[in-house]
């Protein structure tokens, strides 16, 4: 049996009781280590589980999945995923590969940022499509996410923006020179970087004549380390959030929709960067637009 076990968002204690029982009895335990990260290292997980954990990077999961599935038709293999197992399409592909090999599978769900974002006080049924923001490069600034943001905004819904992480990533220079196995230091996008790139995207779209979805004075909510004891939230304009410091990873951003309810307003106002500015923007752009 292949078990996909969700680990939750913060530390080693977020695993469910059912998930922990599976980890303790499985013949092999893999930790998927590139679509997201826990806020503790592998050694702490191993100490808590009482057994070794094999780190599975992108190359293993996407290019050598047969190693993970080996023997799973006769014994138990646990594949640990930060958040919920189906938070990334890679894990769906792994399950399909297992089914094609006649290997039974079972999923152990857990909290993910997709539902834990409710900690902001924003109501989950007021969210539209989730999008991802990648690190911009000098000559590569993808904006394919923008149409989804526009669609959400057009019907007044919030947009959850998942921020880029770079773990065990080769640089273009090393790849060009054939330096395989040489990787860049890990990088984790911050709320400030995401807000700044959102504003930069708006500028690019304005030049194309299709911008105007979110501007410098549009409200957004930034979160850091959701589920951890030092979790932080900050609400402000995109301009304000482009300079905010929410500390270590992982971060996410929510672009506020126009249908924001008064209860949501009351909740997010508590962690506004500047409540006077928040009140002014709310009265101008959001008040009375909940229908």
């Amino acid at each position: 049996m292949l078990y996909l076990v969700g680990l939750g968002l913060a530390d080693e204690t977020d695993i469910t009781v059912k998930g922990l029982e599976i980890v303790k009895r499985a013949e092999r335990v893999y930790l998927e280590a590139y679509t997201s990260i826990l806020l503790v290292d592998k050694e702490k997980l191993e100490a808590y589980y009482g057994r070794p954990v094999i780190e599975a990077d992108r190359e293993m999961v996407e290019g050598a999945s047969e190693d993970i599935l080996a023997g799973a038709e006769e014994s138990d293999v646990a594949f640990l995923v930060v958040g919920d197992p189906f938070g990334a399409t890679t894990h769906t592909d792994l399950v399909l590969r297992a089914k094609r090999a006649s290997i039974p599978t079972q999923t152990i769900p857990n909290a993910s940022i997709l539902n834990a974002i409710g900690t902001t006080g924003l109501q989950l049924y007021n969210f539209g499509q989730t999008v991802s923001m990648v690190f911009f490069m000098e000559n590569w600034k993808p904006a394919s996410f923008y149409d989804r943001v526009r669609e959400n905004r057009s019907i007044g819904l919030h947009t959850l923006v998942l921020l880029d992480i770079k773990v065990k990533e080769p640089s273009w220079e090393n790849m060009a020179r054939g330096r395989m196995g040489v990787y860049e230091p890990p990088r984790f996008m911050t709320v400030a970087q995401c807000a700044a790139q959102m504003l930069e995207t708006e500028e690019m779209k304005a030049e194309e004549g299709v911008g105007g979805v979110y501007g410098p004075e549009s409200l957004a909510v930034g979160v850091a380390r959701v589920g951890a004891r030092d979790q932080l939230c900050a609400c402000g304009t995109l301009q304000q959030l482009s300079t905010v410091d929410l500390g270590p990873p992982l971060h996410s951003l929510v672009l506020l929709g126009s249908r924001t309810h008064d209860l949501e307003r009351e909740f997010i106002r508590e962690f506004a960067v500047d409540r006077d500015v928040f009140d002014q923007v709310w009265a101008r752009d959001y008040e009375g637009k909940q229908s």
Side-chain angles (χ1 to χ4, degrees):
M1 176 82 75
L2 172 68
Y3 290 95
L4 273 74
V5 180
L7 296 183
L9 294 171
D11 59 34
E12 72 279 10
T13 64
D14 282 352
I15 191 171
T16 64
V17 173
K18 183 184 293 185
L20 184 59
E21 290 174 349
I22 290 169
V23 167
K24 287 183 176 294
R25 72 169 186 261
E27 181 173 302
R28 300 191 311 279
V29 179
Y30 294 91
L31 172 64
E32 191 266 89
Y34 68 93
T35 60
S36 189
I37 60 164
L38 277 183
L39 305 181
V40 295
D41 58 27
K42 182 170 73 78
E43 288 69 29
K44 198 160 188 177
L45 292 182
E46 291 177 326
Y48 189 76
Y49 301 155
R51 59 168 309 150
V53 173
I54 303 167
E55 192 168 281
D57 59 17
R58 183 187 299 273
E59 294 174 3
M60 174 180 285
V61 178
E62 297 183 358
S65 60
E66 64 276 6
D67 293 340
I68 297 173
L69 299 176
E73 66 277 5
E74 299 174 352
S75 58
D76 292 338
V77 174
F79 186 78
L80 312 183
V81 179
V82 177
D84 185 80
F86 289 120
T89 54
T90 293
H91 311 135
T92 303
D93 180 67
L94 183 63
V95 170
L96 291 175
R97 289 171 186 249
K99 290 182 180 297
R100 286 195 289 268
S102 299
I103 296 171
T105 65
Q106 183 175 343
T107 303
I108 312 301
N110 209 320
S112 78
I113 191 61
L114 299 178
N115 52 38
I117 196 64
T119 193
T120 59
L122 298 174
Q123 298 165 8
L124 295 180
Y125 54 78
N126 279 344
F127 279 79
Q129 302 167 87
T130 299
V131 302
S132 298
M133 176 79 76
V134 302
F135 281 110
F136 284 178
M137 300 174 64
E138 184 176 353
N139 299 313
W140 186 68
K141 298 179 180 181
S144 57
F145 67 90
Y146 191 80
D147 289 341
R148 307 288 83 76
V149 173
R150 182 192 298 279
E151 291 171 5
N152 291 344
R153 179 74 167 183
S154 70
I155 52 176
L157 298 180
H158 312 313
T159 299
L160 172 61
V161 185
L162 305 179
L163 278 53
D164 198 7
I165 70 172
K166 299 293 187 185
V167 179
K168 204 173 181 182
E169 293 277 345
S171 68
W172 290 108
E173 180 182 355
N174 286 330
M175 287 192 294
R177 296 186 177 185
R179 297 173 180 170
M180 307 308 295
V182 180
Y183 303 103
E184 293 289 287
R187 298 169 62 203
F188 305 94
M189 184 180 287
T190 66
V191 163
Q193 289 171 316
C194 182
Q197 288 192 182
M198 185 64 204
L199 293 176
E200 186 176 356
T201 301
E202 282 290 357
E203 292 176 358
M204 292 188 295
K205 290 297 180 178
E207 293 176 358
E208 299 172 8
V210 292
V213 178
Y214 283 91
E217 294 191 350
S218 298
L219 291 177
V221 177
V223 295
R225 300 173 302 285
V226 171
R229 293 180 181 179
D230 63 345
Q231 168 184 301
L232 286 178
C233 300
C235 177
T237 66
L238 282 173
Q239 191 65 56
Q240 289 174 325
L241 293 183
S242 69
T243 61
V244 75
D245 181 3
L246 293 183
L250 295 170
H251 293 194
S252 298
L253 183 76
V254 179
L255 301 169
L256 222 61
S258 60
R259 290 171 54 184
T260 306
H261 192 275
D262 281 339
L263 289 177
E264 295 176 291
R265 177 198 61 80
E266 183 178 355
F267 205 105
I268 63 178
R269 186 179 184 275
E270 291 299 310
F271 42 81
V273 174
D274 184 319
R275 291 184 182 176
D276 289 337
V277 172
F278 176 89
D279 290 341
Q280 293 169 11
V281 175
W282 176 270
R284 185 190 66 210
D285 298 338
Y286 297 87
E287 189 72 54
K289 298 182 180 180
Q290 289 74 27
S291 59

